[in-house]
Amino acid sequence: MATGTAFPRRSRTSGSGDDQARVGAEWPVWRRWVVATTLGELLGFLIPVAAVAAGADHAPGPVPLLLMVLAGAGEGTVLGWAQSRVLRPLLPGLSMTAWTARTAAAAALAWLVGMAPSTLGAGFDDWSPGVRLAVGVPAAVLVLLSIGVAQWTVLRRVLPGSARWIGWTAAGWLAGLAVFVGVAPPLWHAGQGVVQVALVGALAGVGMAATMAAVTGWGLVRLLRGLPSRHRLSR
């Protein structure tokens, strides 16, 4: 049953009343997205953390890479599922299964690319700086775009102009990682106990997840403005 509010589209003659109505309709969507995405990323990230705590990164051969890629897929599954719960009432044609599965696959790819240098070990360190830069920059771009591209393949079926989601997602993760780097390294010091390291990591993780969620949430409500005016939120 249609119980929500339309997203008013801005026109040249729209005044402050229209702007207030638009903000009033968008704010609950943004808030639900931020809460769900923040919690989904934090809970999902516990899977790779648990894998590392269990010693997955010290296993022989290529096993650490395989285990961390699987853990990354688990992280993406939790994140994708949480996000799909917010999106489905807004976009009834969206497949929650496809959104979750493709988010999981993209997260696994991101972990695969991110873990590659440590897996190569000395072999990677022996590469010249130019070669490492030539490989590292495209790899970083791939990691930033992976989730956005994967989710766009689902979103494009139900939301006009959804290609912009790729940019919003990349911007969200870039901002989130910047927060993590700005918080964690300055607070981590040699000789700290496990509890202290975990608390700093948790603080930085919350900041990263919330920042990413806030940026992508803003992108989402802007994309939703492109829906036909007859669109209503469903519950």
Side-chain angles (χ1 to χ4, degrees), residues 113-137 139:
V113 174
M115 289 284 295
S118 60
T119 302
L120 292 172
F124 181 79
D125 295 335
D126 290 339
W127 293 359
S128 68
V131 173
R132 279 183 288 177
L133 184 64
V135 173
V137 171

Side-chain angles (χ1 to χ4, degrees), residues 24-232:
E26 292 173 349
W27 165 248
V29 174
W30 182 86
R31 183 181 58 204
R32 289 196 298 270
W33 175 268
V34 169
V35 170
T37 298
T38 300
L39 291 178
E41 172 58 20
L42 286 176
L43 293 176
F45 192 64
L46 291 178
I47 299 174
V49 169
V52 172
D57 56 336
H58 295 302
V63 174
L65 179 61
L66 175 61
L67 292 177
M68 294 311 298
V69 168
L70 290 174
E75 176 189 1
T77 299
V78 177
L79 173 63
W81 180 83
Q83 292 177 331
S84 70
R85 298 281 294 180
V86 178
L87 289 174
R88 184 58 185 270
L90 301 170
L91 303 166
L94 182 132
S95 169
M96 293 175 63
T97 301
W99 181 275
T100 302
R102 296 183 195 187
T103 303
L109 175 62
W111 274 92
L112 175 63
V113 174
M115 289 284 295
S118 60
T119 302
L120 292 172
F124 181 79
D125 295 335
D126 290 339
W127 293 359
S128 68
V131 173
R132 279 183 288 177
L133 184 64
V135 173
V137 171
V141 172
L142 176 61
V143 170
L144 280 178
L145 297 181
S146 58
I147 290 182
V149 171
Q151 293 179 337
W152 166 74
T153 64
V154 182
L155 204 58
R156 67 186 180 89
R157 301 177 182 275
V158 293
L159 185 60
S162 58
R164 289 176 292 164
W165 179 248
I166 299 172
W168 279 107
T169 304
W173 280 106
L174 187 61
L177 289 172
V179 170
F180 187 93
V181 171
V183 172
L187 296 179
W188 274 330
H189 304 290
Q192 285 180 323
V194 175
V195 174
Q196 289 176 300
V197 172
L199 288 175
V200 171
L203 176 64
V206 169
M208 178 186 71
T211 301
M212 180 272 291
V215 174
T216 55
W218 178 237
L220 176 64
V221 297
R222 288 180 67 87
L223 288 178
L224 289 173
R225 294 174 190 173
L227 289 172
S229 59
R230 65 179 179 276
H231 179 74
R232 297 292 186 270

